[in-house]
Amino acid sequence: MSFLNRLFDASNSSDDLANFIQKNSIEIYDFFISQKNSSLLNYRKEITNYILLPETYRVYSNLDFSDTKNQTFLYCLLELSQRFGLSTEFQQLYNLAIRNNVSINSRFQAANRFLVGIKTISDYEGKINDILNDLSASYLEEEDNEQKTIATLIHFYTEVFYNFGQQNSEGVIEFRKKLLEELQKDQYKFLHTQSVDEVLSYSLENIDELYQAIQTKLDEILERASQYFAFNIEPHLIEVDSHYAELLATISANFQEIQKLCANLYSVVASDDIFWSLQRGVKVLTEQNQLLAYLNSYGKMHHAKMMSAISPIEQNDLKEELEIYDWGCGQGLASICFLEYLNKQNINYFINKFTLIEPSEIAIKRASLHLRKFTDDTQIDTINKDLDSLENSDFRSTENKTKIHLFSNILDIDLFSMTDLIGLIKYNFCGKNIFVCVSPFVDPFKTERINGFVNSFSNNPNFNLIANISERNGEWKGKSWSRVIRVFKCTV
C-alpha cells in the first residue's frame, strides 16, 4: 500500500493519525520533504485533497500540537503547500499553526505574504521589501543553509509569472526589474545568487515550459536531483603533494594547530563570497578556499561540540577493538576529534580501520590527510558518495568489533532519505554499535529528525541512550553556540 493510502487510512480519527505519526515520523519527513519536486508533483491532487477535505481536516486539526512529531507533520504539510503554491491550503495550515502556537519561521511568513490576499500584480510589487526582509531573517537567523530560503524566493517569482505572465507579461517584466534592483542592494546581496539570476533570465514566452524549468532548477537548488558529483571510486583517497600537505607536516597532531593553520591561510584570501558559499557550514565543499574558510569560521565550534559528545562514552567501550565510520565526514574533523580525545585521556585503544564517507572528493582527500596526521598505520577507507548513493556493497564491517558511527552536522539535513540510511546501517553493521550524533539547534523540526533516527534503534537489544542534550544559543554554559547531542549504543 502506498504511503498516501496508508496516511488516508490512518486519518479516520485524531488518535489513529497521532499513532500513525508517532510510528512513521521518519517516513513522513522523507516523503514530504526529501523527495524531488518532480516526484511529488505526481501526488499533488491527493495531497491537496488530504489538506482540504473537511473530514481529514477535522482529524489533523484536532491533533495535540504540543507534541513535536505532530508539529513536524503540520510543518511538512505547510512546506509542501508553499512549494506547490497552494494558496488556500497554505492559508488553512498557516492559520492552524497560529491557533495552536506552532512555531512559524520567517520563511513561512514570507510565503504567507505572497500566497494569501493577492489580487493584482501591484500587490506582489508592494510586498517585495517585506518578503526580502523575512527571507533575510530566515537565512541569517534561522535556516542552516541558503537553499530553502532561495527556493522560497524563487517560489515568490513563480507565483507572479504563473498568475500574470500570460495576460500581463509586461507587468511581470517590470516586477522582475524591481526585484533585481532590490536584490542588488547590500542588505539583500546574499539572496542574489547565481540560481536566482538564472531563473529571472528565463523567457516568458511559454509559461508552462518556464514552470517546469523552474521545478527542475528547484530540485538542483535543494539538491534533490540525482548525483551532481563525479564520484571517485578509489578506496583510499588522500591529498598528496600539495602546499597544504607540506605545511601540515610541520605542525603537531593537534586540532587547535590545524585550525590555526587554516585560519592563517584563509586570512590571505578571505572574502564575503567565500564565507557565504559555506551556507552556514552545511554546503558540500568543492574548492580549496572553502576548506580553509570552514575551519577558520566553524573549526572551534565543531571541536567543542564533538568533544562534549564523545566524553560521555564509557572508557571500557573505547578500549575494545573499534571500527570508525565518519558519515558526511567533510575534512575528517569528527574523526580527528575522536582520536584527540582518546589520546588526551590516555585510553589504550585499538582501531582496526576508519571509513570516511563524503560526496566531495577534495574534502575527503583532505580528511584522509588530516587523519593520517594522527595515526601512522591505521587503515583508512574512503567512500566518495552522498548518503543516498550508498550501497550495501560499499561496507565490510566485522561483527565482533565495536562500530563507532560519527554523525557530525549531517542527520538534521533534509537532503537524503533517513529511512534508507537506517536500513543501510541495520543491514550492514551487525554487533555492537555506538552512535555519536552532533548538530546545531536549528529548529524543533530538525531536532525531531535526529530524535527519529535515535528512536529507530530504541527497540534494538542493549539500547542505551548515553547523552541527550538540546541547547539553543545562549543555553550552553560557557559557549556562544547551540548544540544537539544524541549519543547511544545498541546491538544491531
Side-chain angles (χ1 to χ4, degrees), residues 310-334:
I310 297 166
S311 60
I313 302 174
E314 294 180 9
Q315 290 200 5
N316 285 338
D317 286 332
L318 300 176
K319 293 176 182 177
E320 299 171 351
E321 287 192 55
L322 305 176
E323 294 178 353
I324 313 299
Y325 295 86
D326 194 341
W327 301 81
C329 70
Q331 299 176 68
L333 306 187

mmCIF file of all heavy atoms in Angstrom, residues 310-334:
data_model
loop_
_atom_site.group_PDB
_atom_site.id
_atom_site.type_symbol
_atom_site.label_atom_id
_atom_site.label_comp_id
_atom_site.label_asym_id
_atom_site.label_seq_id
_atom_site.Cartn_x
_atom_site.Cartn_y
_atom_site.Cartn_z
ATOM 1 N N ILE A 310 31.666 13.099 22.724
ATOM 2 C CA ILE A 310 32.454 11.869 22.904
ATOM 3 C C ILE A 310 32.681 11.553 24.374
ATOM 4 O O ILE A 310 32.691 10.384 24.789
ATOM 5 C CB ILE A 310 33.808 11.997 22.173
ATOM 6 C CG1 ILE A 310 33.590 12.159 20.674
ATOM 7 C CG2 ILE A 310 34.694 10.784 22.433
ATOM 8 C CD1 ILE A 310 34.817 12.633 19.912
ATOM 9 N N SER A 311 32.820 12.584 25.195
ATOM 10 C CA SER A 311 33.226 12.382 26.593
ATOM 11 C C SER A 311 32.281 11.517 27.427
ATOM 12 O O SER A 311 32.746 10.836 28.342
ATOM 13 C CB SER A 311 33.432 13.742 27.277
ATOM 14 O OG SER A 311 32.251 14.512 27.255
ATOM 15 N N PRO A 312 30.947 11.484 27.164
ATOM 16 C CA PRO A 312 30.088 10.616 27.986
ATOM 17 C C PRO A 312 30.239 9.119 27.711
ATOM 18 O O PRO A 312 29.721 8.295 28.486
ATOM 19 C CB PRO A 312 28.665 11.081 27.637
ATOM 20 C CG PRO A 312 28.818 12.419 27.012
ATOM 21 C CD PRO A 312 30.125 12.377 26.312
ATOM 22 N N ILE A 313 30.906 8.736 26.628
ATOM 23 C CA ILE A 313 31.043 7.309 26.304
ATOM 24 C C ILE A 313 31.930 6.636 27.351
ATOM 25 O O ILE A 313 32.985 7.157 27.721
ATOM 26 C CB ILE A 313 31.648 7.124 24.899
ATOM 27 C CG1 ILE A 313 30.769 7.812 23.847
ATOM 28 C CG2 ILE A 313 31.803 5.640 24.574
ATOM 29 C CD1 ILE A 313 31.372 7.804 22.452
ATOM 30 N N GLU A 314 31.510 5.491 27.839
ATOM 31 C CA GLU A 314 32.298 4.759 28.836
ATOM 32 C C GLU A 314 33.642 4.350 28.244
ATOM 33 O O GLU A 314 33.719 3.852 27.116
ATOM 34 C CB GLU A 314 31.535 3.519 29.304
ATOM 35 C CG GLU A 314 30.262 3.834 30.081
ATOM 36 C CD GLU A 314 29.554 2.566 30.525
ATOM 37 O OE1 GLU A 314 30.151 1.465 30.380
ATOM 38 O OE2 GLU A 314 28.414 2.662 31.002
ATOM 39 N N GLN A 315 34.699 4.536 29.027
ATOM 40 C CA GLN A 315 36.042 4.243 28.518
ATOM 41 C C GLN A 315 36.220 2.764 28.204
ATOM 42 O O GLN A 315 36.979 2.422 27.287
ATOM 43 C CB GLN A 315 37.098 4.723 29.518
ATOM 44 C CG GLN A 315 37.192 6.229 29.618
ATOM 45 C CD GLN A 315 38.501 6.706 30.195
ATOM 46 O OE1 GLN A 315 39.421 5.927 30.459
ATOM 47 N NE2 GLN A 315 38.608 8.025 30.392
ATOM 48 N N ASN A 316 35.530 1.898 28.922
ATOM 49 C CA ASN A 316 35.648 0.465 28.611
ATOM 50 C C ASN A 316 35.181 0.167 27.192
ATOM 51 O O ASN A 316 35.727 -0.722 26.521
ATOM 52 C CB ASN A 316 34.836 -0.368 29.620
ATOM 53 C CG ASN A 316 35.516 -0.452 30.967
ATOM 54 O OD1 ASN A 316 36.733 -0.264 31.070
ATOM 55 N ND2 ASN A 316 34.748 -0.732 32.011
ATOM 56 N N ASP A 317 34.166 0.895 26.722
ATOM 57 C CA ASP A 317 33.699 0.709 25.343
ATOM 58 C C ASP A 317 34.751 1.154 24.336
ATOM 59 O O ASP A 317 34.852 0.605 23.236
ATOM 60 C CB ASP A 317 32.410 1.507 25.112
ATOM 61 C CG ASP A 317 31.200 0.878 25.788
ATOM 62 O OD1 ASP A 317 31.196 -0.349 25.965
ATOM 63 O OD2 ASP A 317 30.274 1.625 26.139
ATOM 64 N N LEU A 318 35.549 2.144 24.715
ATOM 65 C CA LEU A 318 36.558 2.681 23.804
ATOM 66 C C LEU A 318 37.839 1.854 23.812
ATOM 67 O O LEU A 318 38.705 2.053 22.953
ATOM 68 C CB LEU A 318 36.873 4.131 24.175
ATOM 69 C CG LEU A 318 35.677 5.091 24.110
ATOM 70 C CD1 LEU A 318 36.078 6.478 24.594
ATOM 71 C CD2 LEU A 318 35.118 5.171 22.697
ATOM 72 N N LYS A 319 37.972 0.936 24.754
ATOM 73 C CA LYS A 319 39.153 0.078 24.827
ATOM 74 C C LYS A 319 38.987 -1.204 24.023
ATOM 75 O O LYS A 319 39.915 -2.008 23.929
ATOM 76 C CB LYS A 319 39.463 -0.259 26.285
ATOM 77 C CG LYS A 319 39.921 0.945 27.104
ATOM 78 C CD LYS A 319 40.131 0.585 28.566
ATOM 79 C CE LYS A 319 40.539 1.816 29.380
ATOM 80 N NZ LYS A 319 40.690 1.495 30.819
ATOM 81 N N GLU A 320 37.799 -1.416 23.464
ATOM 82 C CA GLU A 320 37.561 -2.597 22.632
ATOM 83 C C GLU A 320 38.133 -2.371 21.235
ATOM 84 O O GLU A 320 38.528 -1.262 20.875
ATOM 85 C CB GLU A 320 36.053 -2.864 22.562
ATOM 86 C CG GLU A 320 35.436 -3.136 23.935
ATOM 87 C CD GLU A 320 33.917 -3.182 23.893
ATOM 88 O OE1 GLU A 320 33.344 -2.835 22.834
ATOM 89 O OE2 GLU A 320 33.307 -3.539 24.910
ATOM 90 N N GLU A 321 38.187 -3.436 20.433
ATOM 91 C CA GLU A 321 38.595 -3.256 19.035
ATOM 92 C C GLU A 321 37.517 -2.473 18.299
ATOM 93 O O GLU A 321 36.343 -2.833 18.323
ATOM 94 C CB GLU A 321 38.818 -4.619 18.362
ATOM 95 C CG GLU A 321 40.081 -5.336 18.812
ATOM 96 C CD GLU A 321 40.392 -6.523 17.921
ATOM 97 O OE1 GLU A 321 40.492 -6.329 16.687
ATOM 98 O OE2 GLU A 321 40.513 -7.644 18.448
ATOM 99 N N LEU A 322 37.942 -1.397 17.636
ATOM 100 C CA LEU A 322 36.988 -0.450 17.067
ATOM 101 C C LEU A 322 37.084 -0.352 15.546
ATOM 102 O O LEU A 322 38.163 -0.516 14.971
ATOM 103 C CB LEU A 322 37.228 0.948 17.653
ATOM 104 C CG LEU A 322 37.225 1.109 19.175
ATOM 105 C CD1 LEU A 322 37.575 2.541 19.545
ATOM 106 C CD2 LEU A 322 35.877 0.707 19.767
ATOM 107 N N GLU A 323 35.943 -0.065 14.947
ATOM 108 C CA GLU A 323 35.867 0.415 13.569
ATOM 109 C C GLU A 323 35.129 1.755 13.615
ATOM 110 O O GLU A 323 34.087 1.865 14.263
ATOM 111 C CB GLU A 323 35.093 -0.554 12.670
ATOM 112 C CG GLU A 323 35.774 -1.894 12.470
ATOM 113 C CD GLU A 323 34.942 -2.849 11.613
ATOM 114 O OE1 GLU A 323 33.776 -2.507 11.288
ATOM 115 O OE2 GLU A 323 35.459 -3.927 11.285
ATOM 116 N N ILE A 324 35.689 2.765 12.961
ATOM 117 C CA ILE A 324 35.105 4.103 12.998
ATOM 118 C C ILE A 324 34.510 4.429 11.631
ATOM 119 O O ILE A 324 35.191 4.290 10.608
ATOM 120 C CB ILE A 324 36.147 5.178 13.368
ATOM 121 C CG1 ILE A 324 36.975 4.734 14.579
ATOM 122 C CG2 ILE A 324 35.462 6.518 13.618
ATOM 123 C CD1 ILE A 324 36.188 4.512 15.837
ATOM 124 N N TYR A 325 33.272 4.900 11.632
ATOM 125 C CA TYR A 325 32.587 5.305 10.403
ATOM 126 C C TYR A 325 32.196 6.766 10.552
ATOM 127 O O TYR A 325 31.408 7.135 11.426
ATOM 128 C CB TYR A 325 31.362 4.423 10.148
ATOM 129 C CG TYR A 325 31.744 2.991 9.886
ATOM 130 C CD1 TYR A 325 31.934 2.090 10.952
ATOM 131 C CD2 TYR A 325 31.964 2.532 8.595
ATOM 132 C CE1 TYR A 325 32.318 0.776 10.720
ATOM 133 C CE2 TYR A 325 32.347 1.218 8.352
ATOM 134 C CZ TYR A 325 32.529 0.354 9.416
ATOM 135 O OH TYR A 325 32.916 -0.948 9.183
ATOM 136 N N ASP A 326 32.756 7.611 9.690
ATOM 137 C CA ASP A 326 32.522 9.058 9.742
ATOM 138 C C ASP A 326 31.640 9.436 8.554
ATOM 139 O O ASP A 326 32.098 9.522 7.409
ATOM 140 C CB ASP A 326 33.878 9.785 9.696
ATOM 141 C CG ASP A 326 33.765 11.248 10.089
ATOM 142 O OD1 ASP A 326 32.647 11.792 10.047
ATOM 143 O OD2 ASP A 326 34.807 11.853 10.417
ATOM 144 N N TRP A 327 30.347 9.665 8.843
ATOM 145 C CA TRP A 327 29.326 9.864 7.817
ATOM 146 C C TRP A 327 29.243 11.347 7.451
ATOM 147 O O TRP A 327 29.035 12.193 8.311
ATOM 148 C CB TRP A 327 27.973 9.382 8.329
ATOM 149 C CG TRP A 327 27.954 7.940 8.716
ATOM 150 C CD1 TRP A 327 28.389 7.390 9.894
ATOM 151 C CD2 TRP A 327 27.478 6.843 7.924
ATOM 152 N NE1 TRP A 327 28.211 6.030 9.891
ATOM 153 C CE2 TRP A 327 27.649 5.659 8.701
ATOM 154 C CE3 TRP A 327 26.918 6.739 6.647
ATOM 155 C CZ2 TRP A 327 27.278 4.401 8.219
ATOM 156 C CZ3 TRP A 327 26.540 5.491 6.179
ATOM 157 C CH2 TRP A 327 26.729 4.336 6.961
ATOM 158 N N GLY A 328 29.393 11.654 6.152
ATOM 159 C CA GLY A 328 29.442 13.050 5.731
ATOM 160 C C GLY A 328 30.619 13.742 6.390
ATOM 161 O O GLY A 328 30.491 14.798 7.004
ATOM 162 N N CYS A 329 31.795 13.146 6.231
ATOM 163 C CA CYS A 329 32.956 13.470 7.067
ATOM 164 C C CYS A 329 33.539 14.844 6.803
ATOM 165 O O CYS A 329 34.291 15.370 7.635
ATOM 166 C CB CYS A 329 34.038 12.410 6.900
ATOM 167 S SG CYS A 329 34.863 12.430 5.280
ATOM 168 N N GLY A 330 33.240 15.457 5.627
ATOM 169 C CA GLY A 330 33.895 16.727 5.327
ATOM 170 C C GLY A 330 35.401 16.551 5.328
ATOM 171 O O GLY A 330 35.950 15.689 4.646
ATOM 172 N N GLN A 331 36.089 17.338 6.147
ATOM 173 C CA GLN A 331 37.546 17.275 6.229
ATOM 174 C C GLN A 331 38.034 16.339 7.337
ATOM 175 O O GLN A 331 39.187 16.411 7.750
ATOM 176 C CB GLN A 331 38.114 18.673 6.450
ATOM 177 C CG GLN A 331 37.777 19.640 5.320
ATOM 178 C CD GLN A 331 38.265 21.033 5.605
ATOM 179 O OE1 GLN A 331 39.466 21.307 5.651
ATOM 180 N NE2 GLN A 331 37.327 21.956 5.797
ATOM 181 N N GLY A 332 37.129 15.474 7.814
ATOM 182 C CA GLY A 332 37.527 14.484 8.812
ATOM 183 C C GLY A 332 37.640 15.029 10.220
ATOM 184 O O GLY A 332 38.299 14.426 11.073
ATOM 185 N N LEU A 333 36.976 16.139 10.491
ATOM 186 C CA LEU A 333 37.145 16.797 11.787
ATOM 187 C C LEU A 333 36.597 15.955 12.934
ATOM 188 O O LEU A 333 37.187 15.920 14.026
ATOM 189 C CB LEU A 333 36.477 18.171 11.770
ATOM 190 C CG LEU A 333 36.919 19.107 10.640
ATOM 191 C CD1 LEU A 333 36.325 20.486 10.830
ATOM 192 C CD2 LEU A 333 38.440 19.179 10.562
ATOM 193 N N ALA A 334 35.477 15.278 12.732
ATOM 194 C CA ALA A 334 34.929 14.427 13.792
ATOM 195 C C ALA A 334 35.896 13.294 14.130
ATOM 196 O O ALA A 334 36.096 12.951 15.299
ATOM 197 C CB ALA A 334 33.573 13.864 13.371
#
